[in-house]
Amino acid sequence: TGHSVPMARIVMKFGGTSVADLDRIHNVARHVKREVDAGHEVAVVVSAMAGKTNELVGWVQNMPKVAGSNAPVFDAREYDAVVASGEQVTSGLLAIALQSMGIDARSWQGWQIPIRTDNAHGAARILDIDGSEMVRRFGQGQVAVIAGFQGIGPDNRLATLGRGGSDTSAVAVAAAVKADRCDIYTDVDGV
């Protein structure tokens, strides 16, 4: 028939040091391309670029002081809106890198999949992931590049999963799409 069955469906997760700058994101893209070229269906979950989340958290924590309030009080929903932006940037950049290599790739934010969470903003738990649209697109040869660490709460607001949340995202996505493998890379400097 000319249409071969994919060798495996894999989820690859890359942490902040692996995507710390544009060169490293390009290295990650080459690593992903090798799996695509081998005939695998691939979803990639990414963290924010190294140091970005801490910078974003610092901005949130300092805003009440800048605004003249001594209370370190901030709305946890807005905290999530700010700190989840790091993963959004990385997922978009990696999708661009893959596209520049001729790979059909698109970025996914947690709410677009959707990854449904509870209402515990800043430390949300994943309740459900509908992987059907990603699976449909795998069948068309598309790579999913997923912003880790985030989902959508019952209040229809972006919710972050807390520290280590991108690893949590990767394992949950792997289960949702019935992946054969979930590989978590902490640093791919030498790729």
Side-chain angles (χ1 to χ4, degrees):
T1 59
H3 184 73
S4 59
V5 175
M7 293 177 69
R9 180 175 296 159
I10 61 177
V11 175
M12 307 170 76
K13 186 265 171 178
F14 294 94
T17 54
S18 299
V19 293
D21 56 40
L22 297 183
D23 285 336
R24 286 183 181 218
I25 292 171
H26 182 71
N27 281 343
V28 164
R30 287 207 305 260
H31 200 55
V32 172
K33 183 178 189 299
R34 275 207 298 270
E35 299 291 1
V36 173
D37 289 347
H40 300 310
E41 294 180 343
V42 182
V44 189
V45 176
V46 292
S47 297
M49 296 161 82
K52 284 293 176 203
T53 302
N54 289 340
E55 180 183 25
L56 295 165
V57 168
W59 289 350
V60 171
Q61 290 173 338
N62 283 310
M63 183 49 76
K65 298 180 195 114
V66 171
S69 168
N70 288 329
V73 175
F74 47 82
D75 183 332
R77 295 162 299 192
E78 302 306 346
Y79 169 93
D80 279 353
V82 174
V83 301
S85 66
E87 283 74 14
Q88 179 171 334
V89 169
T90 312
S91 61
L93 289 171
L94 180 55
I96 290 168
L98 288 164
Q99 290 166 5
S100 74
M101 296 175 176
I103 293 172
D104 180 12
R106 75 153 274 188
S107 65
W108 295 82
Q109 306 308 298
W111 62 269
Q112 292 174 307
I113 291 172
I115 295 174
R116 299 203 178 278
T117 72
D118 64 16
N119 232 348
H121 286 276
R125 295 176 63 87
I126 296 173
L127 302 177
D128 180 65
I129 301 179
D130 181 355
S132 59
E133 181 61 15
M134 276 188 297
V135 169
R136 190 181 72 76
R137 287 166 183 253
F138 290 153
Q140 300 172 346
Q142 189 174 83
V143 172
V145 183
I146 301 162
F149 179 60
Q150 59 171 255
I152 184 165
D155 56 359
N156 207 34
R157 299 289 302 267
L158 194 150
T160 65
L161 307 177
R163 286 296 178 183
S166 292
D167 287 359
T168 307
S169 300
V171 172
V173 164
V177 301
K178 296 178 172 57
D180 300 295
R181 277 193 356 240
C182 181
D183 301 331
I184 295 182
Y185 300 86
T186 49
D187 194 0
V188 289
D189 197 27
V191 169

